[in-house]
Amino acid sequence: GAVVSQHPSRVICKSGTSVKIECRSLDFQATTMFWYRQFPKQSLMLMATSNEGSKATYEQGVEKDKFLINHASLTLSTLTVTSAHPEDSSFYICSATLPGQGGGYTFGSGTRLTVV
Amino acid sequence: GEDVEQSLFLSVREGDSSVINCTYTDSSSTYLYWYKQEPGAGLQLLTYIFSNMDMKQDQRLTVLLNKKDKHLSLRIADTQTGDSAIYFCAEVRDYGQNFVFGPGTRLSVLP
């Protein structure tokens, strides 16, 4: 079935550095990908919708200069957390719409970011 | 297989009960979740169940867990038009390291 591979699964970085998270569709073309963030014991919050070849659409309250999203190809979307701070520590997950089924989504396995 | 599976579509009449089913694969999953996604919004956590429970009720929502069959269901009593959304089940694998979602069930509530 359609699979989205997300890497890394865990990353620890120092404050002030940048971290890139990749989501890759392995056997289908993902024209649209979604990036979510989960705060502890809370729901997944949609951060942005990423469309191949165009700028991402960010949800209200999400800093686009801090969370850079690039969707340069039909199989790869990246989220870069720039100048990371401890409050950016969270679980980030991507998803893509399943092709040709009229519905349904496939999710990456998530990335747990810890900023120290 | 490795997937969390759900039916993609469900239609019910307003006032009826909805039952959304999910099968998962990892018997070591300690938490199983149900999320709701309304159009244009993020995933809202509806409820979750610990793997040592077989039922959890929260107002109109009832979650049933059959560990033997690795089957999870979400029952919505007295379904309303506002319940129209996509519902995702998810399991946490690898001792909390990985979330695995089903493809989502699109619930349509007919008047």
Side-chain angles (χ1 to χ4, degrees):
Chain A
V3 173
V4 167
S5 175
Q6 183 172 348
H7 292 283
S9 58
R10 298 183 73 180
V11 58
I12 301 172
C13 70
K14 291 185 177 181
S15 289
T17 62
S18 295
V19 173
K20 181 185 283 188
I21 302 169
E22 290 189 352
C23 267
R24 199 177 292 272
S25 57
L26 296 186
D27 49 6
F28 69 103
Q29 293 183 332
T31 53
T32 304
M33 282 193 173
F34 306 88
W35 286 95
Y36 293 88
R37 177 178 180 179
Q38 184 178 38
F39 294 93
K41 299 183 181 179
Q42 294 186 31
S43 295
L44 285 169
M45 179 192 78
L46 179 64
M47 298 174 68
T49 301
S50 163
N51 293 297
E52 185 267 336
S54 63
K55 290 184 179 180
T57 303
Y58 289 82
E59 296 299 304
Q60 193 172 10
V62 178
E63 298 176 63
K64 58 184 177 184
D65 294 331
K66 180 165 188 63
F67 298 100
L68 299 179
I69 291 172
N70 186 286
H71 194 160
S73 79
L74 286 170
T75 59
L76 176 64
S77 178
T78 61
L79 167 67
T80 302
V81 182
T82 63
S83 187
H85 288 277
E87 57 264 33
D88 299 326
S89 298
S90 194
F91 183 81
Y92 295 87
I93 193 166
C94 64
S95 76
T97 50
L98 288 169
Q101 296 190 30
Y105 296 81
T106 184
F107 287 79
S109 55
T111 298
R112 188 163 299 282
L113 170 64
T114 304
V115 184
V116 298
Chain B
E2 296 291 321
D3 295 339
V4 174
E5 296 182 345
Q6 297 176 244
S7 298
L8 294 183
F9 302 99
L10 176 66
S11 291
V12 299
R13 294 224 172 261
E14 192 173 11
D16 288 349
S17 292
S18 307
V19 179
I20 302 171
N21 294 303
C22 170
T23 57
Y24 62 98
T25 61
D26 190 348
S27 59
S28 69
S29 293
T30 52
Y31 295 87
L32 294 143
Y33 300 83
W34 282 103
Y35 287 85
K36 176 183 181 181
Q37 183 180 35
E38 297 182 15
L43 292 176
Q44 172 196 357
L45 178 64
L46 278 180
T47 187
Y48 61 90
I49 189 167
F50 293 108
S51 59
N52 62 356
M53 299 168 64
D54 52 19
M55 187 182 87
K56 180 178 180 181
Q57 188 154 1
D58 183 2
Q59 299 182 339
R60 291 190 298 122
L61 305 179
T62 303
V63 179
L64 296 178
L65 175 61
N66 181 329
K67 285 190 68 178
K68 175 175 171 289
D69 297 335
K70 298 190 184 68
H71 183 265
L72 182 72
S73 67
L74 173 70
R75 179 176 180 271
I76 305 173
D78 187 25
T79 311
Q80 303 298 307
T81 54
D83 296 323
S84 293
I86 302 175
Y87 292 81
F88 295 88
C89 67
E91 62 170 339
V92 179
R93 295 182 184 172
D94 302 326
Y95 304 100
Q97 297 305 311
N98 292 317
F99 260 92
V100 181
F101 283 80
T105 299
R106 187 179 296 274
L107 174 64
S108 299
V109 182
L110 308 174

